[in-house]
Amino acid sequence: MIGVSQGTLSELDQDKYKPSIDNVSFYLNNNTVYPLLKPFLTTKQNEQLLNDILNGSEGRTSLAGQLSGSGPKGLINEDLRYCPACLSEDCANFGECYLNRYHQLKHINICHKHNCSLISKCPECSFDLTSNSGQLYLKKPVCPLGHKIDPIPDSVVNIENQLQNDLMTDFIYLMENQGDTDANELSVKLLSCLGEKGYIHPSGLIHKTKLINDFFESYSEQRLASVIPEKRYFLERRTIKRLFKSEF
Ligand SMILES: [Zn+2]
Ligand SMILES: [Zn+2]
């Protein structure tokens, strides 16, 4: 081997090969759901998240882990998923298949491009198509037991799919057009909109209960059931108190 020492990297080498914050940001922006989280984080939280990824969380609960995991605050679905139609398209266009970041969002169960259901198991034998440990990913649209996975046309575009599709359109817009928006800026914009719509009393008090009731009436509780908790959760005292705090 030329110029590469065997064994573990020395501390000096580790520093030399350590990615910079800019490199980590670039990678996260282009390959993960980080751009969807970023506008909802304060500048301080964003710095903590990048630092956790770069240097480890030093025994604290990692903010990156909380947000990217499948726990209550996490955005990512527990099982990694594929769109059968995207699998075939990727294979035809690139010679192999990829995991799409937009398919891994919790509560979004359809591909926004093909409007069909996402799958984590083979439609024919129910064998897992991926392992969350990262050891199994599909390279071709074929399950590990050899069944070809064909695109399944979803003939029924139901009301739930429509809501998920609308949400994805908003998510993608947010991911691609956020600039340097952070949670404080977003909070100011939101409060300004609420003021214009009459949800803020001249004393500064926000009519939160009315806002929650109007929101659920506008979208219908039934439609929202697949993507957010029930209305009574938002009306709980402790949830209401947390609403509109820029740092969650
Ligand atoms: Zn698709
Ligand atoms: Zn199979």
Side-chain angles (χ1 to χ4, degrees):
M1 289 219 273
I2 304 165
V4 179
S5 60
Q6 289 192 329
T8 54
L9 286 170
S10 70
E11 262 179 44
L12 205 67
D13 286 339
Q14 283 181 14
D15 278 349
K16 193 168 139 195
Y17 293 114
K18 199 172 182 179
S20 68
I21 285 271
D22 284 348
N23 285 345
V24 171
S25 276
F26 181 83
Y27 176 81
L28 294 176
N29 273 320
N30 290 288
N31 296 284
T32 72
V33 295
Y34 167 67
L36 183 56
L37 288 171
K38 193 169 155 270
F40 298 98
L41 300 175
T42 61
T43 304
K44 193 171 144 222
Q45 284 176 316
N46 190 44
E47 282 169 8
Q48 188 194 329
L49 183 135
L50 292 176
N51 192 52
D52 281 358
I53 293 171
L54 202 55
N55 301 314
S57 55
E58 295 161 354
R60 282 180 289 107
T61 306
S62 155
L63 182 60
Q66 280 183 59
L67 298 174
S68 61
S70 51
K73 280 186 181 175
L75 260 188
I76 305 293
N77 196 62
E78 198 163 352
D79 294 321
L80 294 172
R81 299 173 303 179
Y82 292 100
C83 158
C86 284
L87 281 176
S88 298
E89 277 186 16
D90 281 355
C91 194
N93 293 335
F94 310 115
E96 61 180 319
C97 307
Y98 297 94
L99 275 168
N100 186 316
R101 58 179 165 171
Y102 297 135
H103 296 160
Q104 314 313 328
L105 292 169
K106 206 191 273 182
H107 305 305
I108 304 288
N109 303 317
I110 55 162
C111 168
H112 62 285
K113 186 174 174 192
H114 298 104
N115 201 33
C116 60
S117 301
L118 300 172
I119 56 170
S120 58
K121 294 179 186 299
C122 169
E124 192 148 339
C125 69
S126 297
F127 201 89
D128 286 338
L129 298 178
T130 56
S131 70
N132 287 357
S133 61
Q135 287 164 336
L136 171 67
Y137 292 112
L138 295 186
K139 293 195 172 54
K140 302 278 174 197
V142 176
C143 96
L145 298 188
H147 302 116
K148 187 165 183 323
I149 301 166
D150 289 316
I152 314 161
D154 253 14
S155 50
V156 187
V157 179
N158 60 36
I159 198 166
E160 190 184 309
N161 281 14
Q162 190 54 52
L163 178 67
Q164 294 189 19
N165 232 328
D166 291 349
L167 269 174
M168 272 316 296
T169 305
D170 289 347
F171 287 168
I172 293 169
Y173 178 83
L174 202 57
M175 287 169 86
E176 293 176 356
N177 298 280
Q178 59 185 255
D180 290 326
T181 305
D182 73 354
N184 288 321
E185 197 183 325
L186 208 59
S187 183
V188 170
K189 283 184 182 168
L190 186 58
L191 289 175
S192 155
C193 287
L194 291 179
E196 278 173 26
K197 292 186 183 293
Y199 285 103
I200 301 182
H201 187 266
S203 67
L205 190 80
I206 305 171
H207 302 301
K208 292 179 182 172
T209 306
K210 177 172 165 40
L211 175 65
I212 293 166
N213 282 324
D214 288 355
F215 178 79
F216 275 88
E217 196 175 314
S218 168
Y219 285 98
S220 105
E221 280 193 67
Q222 195 196 352
R223 281 185 82 198
L224 292 169
S226 67
V227 287
I228 56 172
E230 292 175 4
K231 184 166 98 174
R232 64 175 180 194
Y233 166 81
F234 288 94
L235 290 172
E236 281 173 16
R237 207 174 156 74
R238 61 190 173 145
T239 317
I240 285 196
K241 270 176 87 175
R242 277 170 37 218
L243 281 179
F244 305 110
K245 279 175 79 175
S246 50
E247 189 157 335
F248 58 83

